[in-house]
Amino acid sequence: MPRAPSNHVLDAIPSDVTHICRRLRDGGHRGWVVGGCVRDLLRGAPAKDWDIATDAAPKRVMRMFRRVIPTGIQHGTVTVMVRGVGYEVTTLRGEGDYVDGRRPASVVFLDDIEEDLARRDFTFNAIAIEPLAGDLIDPFDGARDLAARCLRAVGDPEARFREDGLRILRAARFAATLECEVAPATREAMGADAPLATLARVSAERVHDEWLKTMTAAKPSQGFALLRACGAMGVVAPELAAIGDDALDRSLATVDRLDDPILRVAALLMFVAEPEAVLGRLKFSRAHQTRITLAIRHHDLDPDLSGADLRRWLATVSKPHVDDAFDLALARATSENRPAVARARARARAELEAGVPLTTRDLAVRGRDLMHALEVAPGPHVGELLNHLLEVCLRDPAQNERARLLEHAAAARARRAP
Ligand code: ATP
Ligand code: MG
């Protein structure tokens, strides 16, 4: 039986969404707001994107609106554009058998919203609102579970996880982002053999996306601890499961102290022997792989290192990655050594502000200056000389003046000469 959602919930539905539902009704059909946006509405959070379910066939939806994009028409989804914003309008569907644990083998279109809700993953994701009549359709008591902060599979949990292994990762993600507990039967099914076997077939891209969404939680540790406890960690990232419980606990505590999702991945993987292997397999972008590996490799610095060593460290880390390395170092530091790390960071910032040379491009001379002044021919020794001058300047940045550098270069050549 439909219930009435409270007025503030209905009021939060944008008028363009109601407009789409009214147009569907005028065409003899129905439209419901469904999925993540209903969940977010009910918990008073801003909705990211608005999904509409309808009993109109996709081709019919295409004809009913002026600006439509056939985004996933074979699955029944068309995007209706209203004032520059896209709304996904999806024909009610049930799903045929899952043959590969990833995608349903066939899609059948339905005219019953409750059947459409029954194929969804968790009770709080299986709620619909009919905005014109103001009905709340909540056959699995998702609103109650949401209020109680309880994540519960729709229907038989093990069968649902077996259909689509990604749901195990989605469960962990929602447990973290919505700060909820997993209902006992759902939790048990997450660790059962058949669901974990299905998880092994989920694509790396989808694992990557769920990990990053988990990293937007206030405390991602809750989601990853769940993955460890149910055995899913060993399936998607055996290298991480292999570091052992104590190391993983330290990683997760560090993850929670950071904000940036990418840097949080660095914290998660900081004790893994070869983080590159995990990042590559999970299809992290090149830029993210660089950020993460540099932060992992260089964050563990001695906070009391000398000025020259600090500048050498800056040169190796390179300017764009210095903040990441210190953020990770601070997040990982114990309360005793945190002040020392903070002092090292202040010193590093002062060096960067002073513009100390950190690469050969920052030197007051170029290779051609050396060739000209020392009358040497082009060749690898010019690069070697520049590197030597950089080392001189890392030791003492005051040496970075043209005349002084030429003197150092001449002296170095004289020492080398037979
Ligand atoms: P978010 O948009 O924050 O990632 P969401 O719940 O909206 O979360 P979507 O991937 O946008 O997730 O999916 C929209 C809705 O589709 C979900 O709320 C759920 O009802 C359903 N859904 C999505 N993925 C699955 C899945 N793997 N199995 C079953 N139902 C799913
Ligand atoms: Mg969504």
Side-chain angles (χ1 to χ4, degrees), residues 316-359:
T316 336
V317 180
S318 83
K319 208 166 161 181
H321 300 288
V322 167
D323 272 329
D324 279 350
F326 274 115
D327 284 343
L328 183 55
L330 280 172
R332 188 186 160 180
T334 60
S335 47
E336 294 94 76
N337 67 14
R338 193 162 295 134
V341 178
R343 277 195 304 277
R345 172 174 228 166
R347 286 167 58 209
R349 283 192 170 146
E351 297 281 2
L352 292 177
E353 266 163 43
V356 296
L358 298 175
T359 77

Side-chain angles (χ1 to χ4, degrees), residues 225-243:
L226 201 53
L227 292 181
R228 165 175 64 188
C230 77
M233 182 89 82
V235 175
V236 294
E239 303 90 335
L240 187 54
I243 68 175

Side-chain angles (χ1 to χ4, degrees), residues 240-317:
L240 187 54
I243 68 175
D245 280 348
D246 286 351
L248 192 55
D249 283 337
R250 283 165 65 206
S251 299
L252 290 179
T254 309
V255 168
D256 286 353
R257 278 188 223 108
L258 288 159
D259 292 316
D260 184 299
I262 298 302
L263 205 49
R264 282 175 151 183
V265 176
L268 181 67
L269 300 179
M270 68 184 170
F271 298 126
V272 170
E274 279 184 70
E276 297 85 353
V278 182
L279 297 169
R281 198 181 61 243
L282 294 184
K283 306 280 196 281
F284 277 78
S285 70
R286 281 261 158 254
H288 287 164
Q289 291 193 36
T290 305
R291 263 192 78 184
I292 294 167
T293 44
L294 282 179
I296 293 177
R297 205 176 298 149
H298 298 298
H299 77 279
D300 200 7
L301 79 171
D302 165 13
D304 298 318
L305 75 195
S306 71
D309 282 340
L310 178 62
R311 287 185 291 274
R312 282 190 196 103
W313 179 86
L314 287 170
T316 336
V317 180

Side-chain angles (χ1 to χ4, degrees), residues 97-229:
D97 286 333
Y98 284 73
V99 285
D100 62 352
R102 279 184 284 205
R103 301 272 180 206
S106 61
V107 176
V108 284
F109 296 129
L110 307 168
D111 57 6
D112 180 357
I113 181 69
E114 295 210 6
E115 272 190 66
D116 179 276
L117 295 176
R119 73 171 171 87
R120 295 173 184 268
D121 49 6
F122 306 117
T123 60
F124 50 52
N125 284 344
I127 311 172
I129 292 177
E130 201 291 317
L132 305 175
D135 289 339
L136 183 83
I137 298 134
D138 182 12
F140 308 103
D141 276 329
R144 185 198 56 197
D145 282 343
L146 188 62
R149 296 192 177 226
C150 172
L151 180 140
R152 190 190 312 275
V154 169
D156 171 9
E158 191 175 328
R160 305 315 308 286
F161 288 124
R162 229 187 300 128
E163 281 169 2
D164 179 1
L166 181 76
R167 290 175 188 155
I168 297 174
L169 303 184
R170 283 175 59 88
R173 186 242 294 195
F174 289 122
T177 55
L178 305 177
E179 295 172 47
C180 53
E181 297 295 327
V182 180
T186 302
R187 164 66 188 80
E188 201 174 317
M190 288 171 75
D193 291 343
L196 290 178
T198 322
L199 174 61
R201 294 199 295 274
V202 168
S203 76
E205 287 83 355
R206 296 177 89 197
V207 177
H208 167 271
D209 292 354
E210 283 305 322
W211 270 30
L212 283 192
K213 284 180 179 173
T214 308
M215 287 304 187
T216 65
K219 288 191 174 161
S221 60
Q222 201 174 335
F224 288 99
L226 201 53
L227 292 181
R228 165 175 64 188

Side-chain angles (χ1 to χ4, degrees), residues 36-37 39 48-49 51:
C37 52
R39 179 191 71 224
K48 280 195 297 278
D49 36 37
D51 294 327

Side-chain angles (χ1 to χ4, degrees), residues 19-20 23-24 57-73 76-90:
H19 162 81
I20 293 173
R23 177 71 72 82
L24 288 164
K59 293 225 168 81
R60 178 98 179 92
V61 178
M62 293 285 287
R63 286 196 301 273
M64 285 167 89
F65 295 91
R66 210 160 355 132
R67 299 211 44 222
V68 286
I69 305 163
T71 341
I73 197 143
T77 302
V78 303
T79 302
V80 172
M81 301 296 301
V82 184
R83 295 193 289 179
V85 178
Y87 300 91
E88 291 201 342
V89 179
T90 304

